[in-house]
Amino acid sequence: MLVAPLLLLLFVPFPASTGNQDPPKATNGELFPWDRMRLPKTVSPIHYDLTIHPNLTTFHFTGVARIELDVHEDTNMVVLHAKQMQISSVLLLAPDGVRPLKVLEYPHFHQLALLSDSVLTKGQMYEVKLEFAANFSDSYHGFYKSSYRTRTGEVRFLASTQFEATFARGAFPCFDEPAFKAKFTIRIIREPRHIAISNMPKVKTVELLGGLLEDHFDTTVKMSTYLVAYIVSDFLSVSKMTQHGVKISVYAVPEKIDQTAYALDAAVKLLDFYDDYFDIPYPLPKQDLAAIPDFQSGAMENWGLTTYRETALLFDPDRSSASDKLAITKVIAHELAHQWFGNLVTMEWWNDLWLNEGFAKFMEYISLDITYPELHVDDFFLGKCFEAMEVDSLSSSHPVSTPVENPMEIQEMFDDVSYDKGACILNMLRDFMTPESFEIGIIKYLKQYSYQNTVNGHLWDSLTNKWYSDDELDVRTIMDTWTLQEGFPLVTVEVRGREIRLSQERYLKTDNASLTEGFLWQIPLTYMTSASETVHRFLLKGKTDVLYLPEEVEWVKFNVNMSGYYMVHYEGEGWNSIIRLLQNDHTVLTSNDRASLIHNVFQLVSIGKVRLDTALELSLYLSRETEIMAVTQGFGELVPLYKLMEKRDMAALENQMKGYIVDLFRGLIDQQEWADSGSVSERVLRSYLLLFACVRNYPPCVTKATQLFNEWKDSDGNMSLPVDITMAVFVVGARTPEGWDFLFEKYSHSMQMSVKSRMKIAMTVSPLKDKLKWMMEQSLHGEVMKTQDLPDVVVSISKNPIGYKLAWDFLRANWRTLIKKFDLGSNTVSYMVTGVTSQYSTREMLDEIRSFFGSLTEETGSKMRCIQQTYETIEDNIRWMETNLPLLQAWLDKRRQRMPHEDL
């Protein structure tokens, strides 16, 4: 199949790339016979027979791997992966007998070469048998140890796996690339006090000498190594059957098993939905969901055994919030969508990770819209596109499909571009094609490529149903412009009478205009006008074009519901006509349309297309806004302005800006009940508004929260607080040393994961400097506060006007520990780097940050993309402040003169 030019490079072996011209040398000093990071295609695995014996006392494991091989070309070597592992014996089981193989190790590429005296002949079947041993991983990847504390304070250990993207090689020798699919038969040796679970159901347990037990699991379907999973623990489980006869079980530590009912019901409902929607039966007899006490990401889609953070799976109907329910249901929907997108059909190589992650993110919203309409998931999709645009507006962004080679580059693909931009461009395509045509296309794709690996082009070919009947264009032509180049377009709209003039350019936050040149998208435009509610469609293929309206109109709105992944600038009187519309009757437009206008107008200020006072005039309508997406987007554009000022000495303007925002939303804040009532969106909005009001010291909010905190504290935490208001109450309570200590004591003993999560964030918002520092140190230590929560703690403290410098100093001081624990290139490290630095706006801080990151080596992360993103973000902040501070001051002063009675 013809592959798009940019991708051609990715499907031939990589050139020699050992970092220098010298041939690679094995650990014994001999030449290593393979000099590329990607494995040779001469042999491939068909079946792995794995026996693993983890020791939860010594935190060490041993194993035996028997790998059945298919030989595609005559060869005398087998090259595969193994990382930080002792290999004690390697045998070749050939048609003519058993013989030992010579082993060479090349740790730089995590490779083993198994050398044979005689040729392995094409078409013949062989088996290699490797005996190995290793320590449990110290990070959250590979085969690693986890622990939890019981109510009585006893610490218990378990062992769990996380192999995506390149960590199966740390647990057993394997061909650790996604295209080397094989079947796996797994045996786990354990003590009787533990249980073992894996991808497939257990078929039998055998008693061994010394009182040990060996669990035998059924053979898996054909799959990639990164989806293999096994857990040895003392978990309990609850189970139910789906309508299609699949056994669903949820596993958790014994004292939290009573928080699994919601996840169990959601998994049953969602697996049944996907089974029907994709018209392909789920191929395994069971699907387990396990809540792991130590877990770096949110969840992992291992086939038949999905794993989760405890906060992403456990739900207490009395103490978990509406946003907890929404988040948990979305995570389960995401991982179960992967059982088809990712597991059944897998990307050929990590450059196309978005085929897995963009689809799973997109399917969260498609599935929940149908199965859980009461969650109003549509109210939250737009936020994902705004988040993607945040990183995609920098020159350090990357195409959705982009060449990657080494493990750090692969890790970096797990970002907002692969997940959120991937989902947003799929949503745009679905909207343009119609949902029905889109569904037909993706079912065709899944059926055609089941148990295989795919590239971008396979998806576009499946979706080309000649749906655009009067045009020769196919989906590939359009979508290559969205996946093979980074960034996104800004469409400029100029209305002249009945004529609409359109032009496109790359939206980029930079003062280097040359970086925006050479980009062209095929843009599925949608628009509506004051004269018609009909949504009109037009495919903009060139740099410019002209549309003709049947009559002159008062206003035009492009990108209806923001279903397209692009921004819109209205030239001439365009923005003024929209501001008038919003002030007269904002409900003429949907809340998504209103949110997109708020987002676009403030983002256009950043690149000098719109004056700040125009954006602020538009924001005035927000005093009448009630819908969550538009309200939160209003906060999302206005709050960062004073967050920049908090890190500079400009208290007067900072307080004026804070006063403006409180005043803008005062009516909506005053309407909020201090109770759990209303729809999910109304409840999430209530939590958001009351938290904001209390943090901003809005007197009615602080008074009420203080009263409730004192009552709760007097009851020793036994009083039942309305869930939606607990964040506001905890934040106010954590302002005093006694309140903070009380919260921490309750945090230490709570078994309710969502409550702990809210207490943790509330404690990071405290003005008590010594507590903030202690909290970061405790999170790093990992005993009372889990190290998995450290990134959230550090980033939250970095947003605290008292704690931001503490967070930066902590990140620098502990950098080597953090990159070892969370892995170079990981989304977690990137989140900490960008999160801690994103609100600086001075040359002094930029110099200090450059000085630190500039001192790193490649081994300690100097090449990470997030460092470039950090520099660009701060440069953008500096430009914004230099250009707009005088305008902001003048506008706020003018507004105060116009409305002198208001308390700003």
Side-chain angles (χ1 to χ4, degrees):
M1 181 155 300
L2 186 67
V3 181
L6 182 67
L7 300 178
L8 279 174
L9 296 171
L10 297 165
F11 305 117
V12 297
F14 277 91
S17 54
T18 52
N20 54 46
Q21 297 308 304
D22 299 329
K25 284 199 175 159
T27 48
N28 67 355
E30 290 184 35
L31 283 182
F32 193 78
W34 185 250
D35 62 358
R36 301 169 194 187
M37 198 164 278
R38 297 281 295 275
L39 298 178
K41 302 272 178 30
T42 45
V43 300
S44 59
I46 296 170
H47 178 260
Y48 292 78
D49 202 310
L50 283 179
T51 302
I52 308 285
H53 180 192
N55 186 321
L56 284 169
T57 306
T58 62
F59 306 124
H60 179 83
F61 64 92
T62 56
V64 180
R66 288 175 57 142
I67 311 172
E68 199 179 319
L69 301 173
D70 192 359
V71 179
H72 307 293
E73 293 172 30
D74 287 0
T75 183
N76 65 347
M77 69 171 181
V78 175
V79 181
L80 72 168
H81 290 112
K83 182 182 176 186
Q84 293 175 344
M85 195 174 280
Q86 298 88 46
I87 307 292
S88 54
S89 160
V90 181
L91 297 175
L92 177 72
L93 288 68
D96 58 349
V98 178
R99 56 182 180 272
L101 293 175
K102 181 177 178 178
V103 182
L104 294 178
E105 294 182 50
Y106 185 52
H108 186 57
F109 286 174
H110 310 150
Q111 287 174 357
L112 296 179
L114 314 180
L115 306 180
S116 169
D117 293 336
S118 54
V119 171
L120 279 61
T121 312
K122 177 181 176 179
Q124 291 272 25
M125 302 298 280
Y126 296 85
E127 205 172 280
V128 288
K129 180 183 177 186
L130 303 99
E131 294 181 15
F132 57 92
N135 294 321
F136 286 136
S137 160
D138 284 332
S139 70
Y140 300 99
H141 292 107
F143 194 21
Y144 70 95
K145 72 173 185 287
S146 172
S147 65
Y148 70 94
R149 198 179 288 269
T150 66
R151 275 200 173 88
T152 58
E154 179 195 353
V155 176
R156 294 186 183 175
F157 292 97
L158 59 134
S160 184
T161 58
Q162 169 63 41
F163 292 160
E164 192 176 33
T166 57
F167 301 101
R169 63 190 67 172
F172 58 93
C174 58
F175 296 78
D176 201 12
E177 295 179 9
F180 286 111
K181 289 191 170 186
K183 294 183 176 182
F184 297 82
T185 304
I186 294 171
R187 298 185 188 92
I188 305 283
I189 298 170
R190 61 176 171 88
E191 296 176 57
R193 66 194 170 110
H194 291 132
I195 61 159
I197 51 177
S198 185
N199 303 82
M200 295 297 286
K202 186 170 72 175
V203 288
K204 65 175 177 179
T205 300
V206 176
E207 289 190 28
L208 305 179
L209 292 173
L212 293 172
L213 302 174
E214 184 178 74
D215 291 332
H216 293 225
F217 296 92
D218 213 343
T219 301
T220 69
V221 293
K222 190 177 166 190
M223 65 186 200
S224 304
T225 47
Y226 77 86
L227 294 169
V228 173
Y230 36 87
I231 301 169
V232 178
S233 69
D234 66 347
F235 287 175
L236 298 179
S237 66
V238 292
S239 304
K240 267 187 184 176
M241 298 296 283
T242 69
Q243 290 175 5
H244 294 274
V246 178
K247 184 182 180 183
I248 306 280
S249 303
V250 181
Y251 286 82
V253 303
E255 288 173 329
K256 294 175 187 170
I257 197 69
D258 59 346
Q259 297 174 55
T260 54
Y262 180 76
L264 181 63
D265 288 341
V268 168
K269 187 187 262 197
L270 284 159
L271 201 74
D272 273 331
F273 166 79
Y274 287 133
D275 223 308
D276 295 334
Y277 183 89
F278 294 134
D279 193 33
I280 300 170
Y282 174 73
L284 309 186
K286 63 94 173 173
Q287 170 66 242
D288 297 335
L289 299 83
I292 312 295
D294 297 281
F295 202 83
Q296 182 167 328
S297 59
M300 176 62 206
E301 68 265 23
N302 316 300
W303 215 343
L305 172 52
T306 51
T307 47
Y308 302 77
R309 253 186 197 232
E310 290 184 323
T311 47
L313 197 66
L314 303 179
F315 182 84
D316 181 333
D318 298 323
R319 305 214 186 160
S320 298
S321 67
S323 54
D324 294 329
K325 178 180 275 192
L326 178 69
I328 288 167
T329 320
K330 277 170 59 183
V331 173
I332 294 170
H334 184 101
E335 303 314 325
L336 295 186
H338 269 311
Q339 308 301 300
W340 285 263
F341 275 102
N343 300 8
L344 184 66
V345 180
T346 313
M347 76 267 134
E348 173 85 19
W349 179 243
W350 299 105
N351 63 296
D352 277 330
L353 174 69
W354 86 276
L355 289 173
N356 282 17
E357 297 301 349
F359 253 110
K361 177 60 67 179
F362 172 69
M363 287 309 300
E364 289 175 28
Y365 293 89
I366 298 296
S367 62
L368 297 190
D369 194 38
I370 296 167
T371 54
Y372 285 90
E374 69 277 13
L375 291 179
H376 298 290
V377 75
D378 268 2
D379 285 347
F380 304 93
F381 183 73
L382 211 51
K384 292 289 148 197
C385 303
F386 295 149
E387 283 171 30
M389 285 175 162
E390 188 69 26
V391 294
D392 213 15
S393 64
L394 303 174
S395 60
S396 52
S397 187
H398 63 91
V400 166
S401 179
T402 199
V404 289
E405 180 178 359
N406 67 48
M408 189 196 84
E409 291 168 347
I410 292 167
Q411 282 285 88
E412 286 191 313
M413 289 298 285
F414 291 80
D415 67 357
D416 286 347
V417 173
S418 295
Y419 285 70
D420 297 342
K421 180 178 179 177
C424 294
I425 62 175
L426 288 170
N427 184 57
M428 174 172 68
L429 180 59
R430 177 177 182 259
D431 180 69
F432 202 58
M433 284 179 69
T434 75
E436 298 73 26
S437 297
F438 184 82
E439 189 178 336
I440 289 164
I442 60 171
I443 290 168
K444 179 180 164 189
Y445 168 78
L446 288 171
K447 287 184 172 176
Q448 184 170 351
Y449 297 106
S450 290
Y451 303 104
Q452 296 176 54
N453 296 81
T454 57
V455 298
N456 255 350
H458 294 136
L459 176 63
W460 306 144
D461 291 345
S462 299
L463 285 166
T464 302
N465 294 322
K466 300 300 173 197
W467 49 274
Y468 210 60
S469 54
D470 59 345
D471 204 309
E472 289 304 302
L473 283 180
D474 59 20
V475 177
R476 184 194 291 235
T477 310
I478 297 170
M479 295 310 289
D480 276 356
T481 70
W482 295 93
T483 58
L484 301 183
Q485 59 184 352
E486 70 271 26
F488 59 89
L490 167 63
V491 175
T492 297
V493 174
E494 187 182 6
V495 180
R496 293 190 181 179
R498 289 177 43 225
E499 193 176 273
I500 301 180
R501 298 189 175 188
L502 303 169
S503 62
Q504 64 161 297
E505 64 192 285
R506 182 179 175 190
Y507 176 92
L508 192 63
K509 289 180 178 173
T510 178
D511 48 7
N512 184 350
S514 66
L515 293 174
T516 64
E517 291 168 6
F519 287 85
L520 189 69
W521 285 265
Q522 297 216 356
I523 311 173
L525 295 179
T526 53
Y527 65 97
M528 58 191 287
T529 70
S530 55
S532 161
E533 288 184 7
T534 306
V535 176
H536 303 275
R537 295 174 187 279
F538 177 72
L539 189 64
L540 177 63
K541 302 178 203 171
K543 204 82 175 160
T544 60
D545 215 325
V546 181
L547 295 174
Y548 295 95
L549 299 172
E551 58 192 300
E552 289 194 20
V553 295
E554 289 174 31
W555 54 265
V556 58
K557 165 70 172 74
F558 271 74
N559 203 356
V560 178
N561 281 322
M562 202 166 158
S563 55
Y565 185 72
Y566 58 93
M567 284 191 206
V568 183
H569 171 44
Y570 300 92
E571 265 199 342
E573 276 298 296
W575 279 111
N576 289 334
S577 66
I578 281 167
I579 290 169
R580 283 194 298 274
L581 170 67
L582 290 172
Q583 286 172 345
N584 292 337
D585 182 7
H586 63 277
T587 60
V588 169
L589 299 174
T590 65
S591 63
N592 272 6
D593 273 328
R594 303 194 299 267
S596 74
L597 287 169
I598 296 162
H599 173 267
N600 286 191
V601 77
F602 276 95
Q603 295 304 312
L604 289 167
V605 172
S606 291
I607 60 167
K609 293 277 186 186
V610 172
R611 279 174 57 93
L612 176 61
D613 39 11
T614 303
L616 291 167
E617 287 295 325
L618 185 142
S619 76
L620 287 168
Y621 105 88
L622 285 164
S623 63
R624 295 186 302 285
E625 183 58 85
T626 58
E627 298 286 335
I628 187 166
M629 194 64 238
V631 170
T632 53
Q633 199 53 42
F635 277 109
E637 299 300 339
L638 293 167
V639 168
L641 307 192
Y642 75 68
K643 295 306 286 184
L644 293 178
M645 297 176 212
E646 283 181 342
K647 295 171 178 55
R648 295 166 59 143
D649 185 18
M650 44 178 60
L653 181 57
E654 175 194 322
N655 289 328
Q656 233 180 312
M657 186 64 201
K658 288 173 177 174
Y660 169 63
I661 303 172
V662 171
D663 188 57
L664 197 58
F665 293 106
R666 180 179 291 163
L668 195 56
I669 292 165
D670 289 344
Q671 287 171 29
Q672 301 306 310
E673 298 174 359
W674 290 67
D676 296 334
S677 58
S679 69
V680 168
S681 293
E682 287 165 345
R683 292 182 61 187
V684 172
L685 183 58
R686 175 185 301 123
S687 299
Y688 192 101
L689 287 166
L690 294 179
L691 175 61
F692 170 79
C694 281
V695 168
R696 286 281 53 80
N697 294 315
Y698 181 51
C701 185
V702 176
T703 303
K704 181 75 174 172
T706 305
Q707 174 206 330
L708 286 169
F709 184 81
N710 290 336
E711 289 173 13
W712 179 70
K713 185 166 173 282
D714 291 344
S715 75
D716 196 28
N718 294 317
M719 181 182 119
S720 183
L721 287 169
V723 177
D724 297 345
I725 61 140
T726 50
M727 266 302 275
V729 172
F730 291 163
V731 160
V732 170
R735 288 176 174 175
T736 66
E738 310 77 55
W740 199 97
D741 289 343
F742 182 76
L743 257 186
F744 183 76
E745 200 258 330
K746 291 298 159 199
Y747 170 90
S748 323
H749 295 100
S750 175
M751 288 284 166
Q752 263 73 31
M753 299 316 297
S754 49
V755 177
K756 285 184 81 122
S757 193
R758 288 196 290 280
M759 288 175 172
K760 174 191 73 189
I761 295 302
M763 289 186 287
T764 66
V765 181
S766 170
L768 305 169
K769 220 171 189 176
D770 56 327
K771 302 287 190 189
L772 300 177
K773 200 169 177 203
W774 184 83
M775 208 175 162
M776 290 191 287
E777 287 159 0
Q778 286 302 309
S779 300
L780 186 63
H781 197 231
E783 291 216 355
V784 190
M785 306 190 84
K786 287 275 187 191
T787 305
Q788 65 172 9
D789 296 330
L790 176 66
D792 280 337
V793 168
V794 173
V795 171
S796 188
I797 289 173
S798 79
K799 308 292 189 235
N800 181 334
I802 304 294
Y804 66 88
K805 201 71 173 67
L806 296 175
W808 166 240
D809 291 343
F810 179 88
L811 185 73
R812 282 190 297 181
N814 296 286
W815 180 255
R816 285 175 182 271
T817 309
L818 294 172
I819 59 171
K820 187 169 184 289
K821 187 70 179 172
F822 295 108
D823 283 297
L824 269 192
S826 70
N827 188 256
T828 311
V829 170
S830 171
Y831 167 66
M832 284 190 283
V833 169
T834 55
V836 165
T837 58
S838 65
Q839 293 177 350
Y840 288 120
S841 63
T842 64
R843 288 272 160 218
E844 294 75 23
M845 268 317 294
L846 179 58
D847 291 344
E848 188 176 308
I849 287 164
R850 277 189 189 278
S851 170
F852 172 68
F853 288 125
S855 71
L856 301 179
T857 62
E858 194 166 341
E859 285 68 37
T860 54
S862 65
K863 294 275 177 70
M864 286 193 301
R865 186 185 290 120
C866 61
I867 293 172
Q868 290 310 122
Q869 289 170 339
T870 290
Y871 297 160
E872 283 191 69
T873 300
I874 299 173
E875 292 272 16
D876 178 53
N877 292 343
I878 292 169
R879 273 196 306 274
W880 196 100
M881 295 292 261
E882 286 172 353
T883 307
N884 293 301
L885 277 183
L887 287 168
L888 179 60
Q889 182 74 69
W891 189 85
L892 289 171
D893 287 346
K894 194 166 92 181
R895 186 171 177 278
R896 183 153 55 180
Q897 288 156 16
R898 278 189 312 205
M899 312 176 85
H901 64 283
E902 287 186 359
D903 175 22
L904 287 175

